[in-house]
Amino acid sequence: MFKSLLSDIGNHYKSTNALIFALKLQGPIVPCVNMRHPNCSAHALPLNDRLFQEPLYVTHAGWEQVRPHQTYPRPGHPSCYGFKWDEGRVLGEFCLSLITSGQGELQTKQGRQPLRSGDAILYQPGAWHRHRPLPAIGWSSLWITFNGNLPHRWMKDGSFQLNKNLVQVGTHRLFEQQFRHLVESVDAAGSRNSLQFSWQAIGLLSHFLADSPSHPSPEKERTSDPIIDLAMDFIWSQSHNQIGVPEVALHANVHRRLLERKFKAVTGATILTAIQRCRIARAELLLRETDAPVKYIYGRAGFASYQHLRQAFKKHFHLSPEKYRLGQKLA
């Protein structure tokens, strides 16, 4: 029956939306539960609506030292984090743990993995697991738990660099320093959550995130001509600067007039038209997905002035940038 329950929970948390909805049912504020002992400190952090809307938020953090032959897991953790070895546990959020000394073992549905000093472990929502220090040795560890749309997107895209549950970290010393700083920051804050914890956690996770190749824009389809593709790549990476046909030709290492003829024949558009399309697409994205002032957007998208941006939008959408943004928010 218990295995069936674990399976049901795992299936439930495969859906990001279902997870977020389940957390929302708990209410906008999660009470803080503090636990401090000479060999342990842990904080279940409050979560208000503002933090809940962030792409990543920290929910729990702590450290512990387990001496040889000491009882484990240590009693006193919130029920959602505690577990019995015979049963294991399934979390509704991510958990990142670092073994700073000692040894132990980890078991998941993928099998058993030994844990040694310096090993970092990532548990993903809905995944059954259990871990413990070796009784004769014990261990010291740090951990944080976190959630949000951003880590779920990384999980979906396969961006976490893992060996089963073990994190593949390049610079262990810096990783541990940042981990300690985050846990100590939470400990110092006591019963207060902070957006700073979110940013620190993102920096910590960046140690083992793969740099996924960017997907080509719908406006930037690949062609069978490497010179044209090179020119298009340059346009889409430099359109926020004041570039024109001479700069594109110089980058492609092709005479300007030859490139213009070739570009028109392959794409059906001029180089200037391609640059304008890219700038409009970027301005459109910034207007739709951010609240940045228009005076920032026209420069970031590569337009020389607000008037140039306005003229482009009037021609392309028959709307001013402001009315375009308003229409997207009302849609």
Side-chain angles (χ1 to χ4, degrees), residues 131-329:
H131 57 252
R132 63 184 175 186
L134 296 184
I137 298 176
W139 72 19
S140 296
S141 67
L142 309 167
W143 72 84
I144 62 168
T145 62
F146 56 94
N147 219 328
N149 290 326
L150 186 58
H152 279 277
R153 190 181 77 197
W154 288 331
M155 181 174 70
K156 181 181 178 182
D157 293 344
S159 298
F160 292 119
Q161 298 184 86
L162 305 171
N163 173 15
K164 295 182 180 177
N165 285 76
L166 294 185
V167 169
Q168 305 298 291
V169 176
T171 310
H172 282 271
R173 182 178 178 182
L174 179 59
F175 179 76
E176 181 173 341
Q177 287 175 343
Q178 292 180 338
F179 209 138
R180 288 186 183 278
H181 179 65
L182 173 53
V183 172
E184 288 170 1
S185 297
V186 172
D187 192 43
S191 60
R192 183 179 62 86
N193 206 338
S194 169
L195 191 56
Q196 289 295 324
F197 304 155
S198 300
W199 305 144
Q200 289 183 51
I202 291 173
L204 194 62
L205 298 177
S206 70
H207 281 270
F208 56 95
L209 284 171
D211 187 8
S212 303
S214 59
H215 301 290
S217 164
E219 298 281 345
K220 189 188 70 170
E221 296 180 0
R222 310 304 293 181
T223 73
S224 58
D225 192 309
I227 293 178
I228 302 304
D229 287 342
L230 183 63
M232 289 296 288
D233 286 340
F234 180 76
I235 289 170
W236 279 84
S237 64
Q238 295 294 324
S239 63
H240 58 287
N241 293 319
Q242 296 302 307
I243 63 169
V245 178
E247 289 77 17
V248 178
L250 181 64
H251 180 79
N253 197 26
V254 178
H255 190 275
R256 171 178 175 168
R257 296 200 178 280
L258 175 60
L259 180 62
E260 286 181 312
R261 289 196 299 269
K262 194 177 184 68
F263 198 96
K264 177 75 172 180
V266 172
T267 68
T270 67
I271 296 174
L272 286 176
T273 298
I275 293 173
Q276 188 77 337
R277 284 177 180 171
C278 176
R279 289 174 174 163
I280 290 172
R282 293 197 165 175
E284 180 187 3
L285 180 68
L286 290 168
L287 287 166
R288 186 175 66 246
E289 298 191 1
T290 77
D291 293 321
V294 175
K295 65 179 181 180
Y296 164 85
I297 289 174
Y298 79 72
R300 195 67 186 89
F303 289 94
S305 68
Y306 168 73
Q307 276 306 119
H308 284 86
L309 171 66
R310 182 181 174 85
Q311 289 170 5
F313 264 66
K314 282 284 189 178
K315 182 178 180 180
H316 195 78
F317 298 107
H318 306 291
L319 292 170
S320 68
E322 293 82 0
K323 287 187 177 179
Y324 175 85
R325 168 178 271 173
L326 180 60
Q328 292 297 312
K329 290 186 175 182

Side-chain angles (χ1 to χ4, degrees), residues 83-99:
F83 68 97
K84 296 180 180 179
W85 176 259
D86 292 341
E87 298 177 353
R89 72 177 179 182
V90 175
L91 295 175
E93 55 197 356
F94 294 86
C95 179
L96 178 64
S97 179
L98 174 65
I99 309 302

Side-chain angles (χ1 to χ4, degrees), residues 24 47-57 149:
K24 254 309 192 189
L47 182 63
N48 58 34
D49 281 337
R50 176 175 174 271
L51 280 170
F52 191 83
Q53 299 300 322
E54 292 297 325
L56 184 149
Y57 47 84
N149 290 326

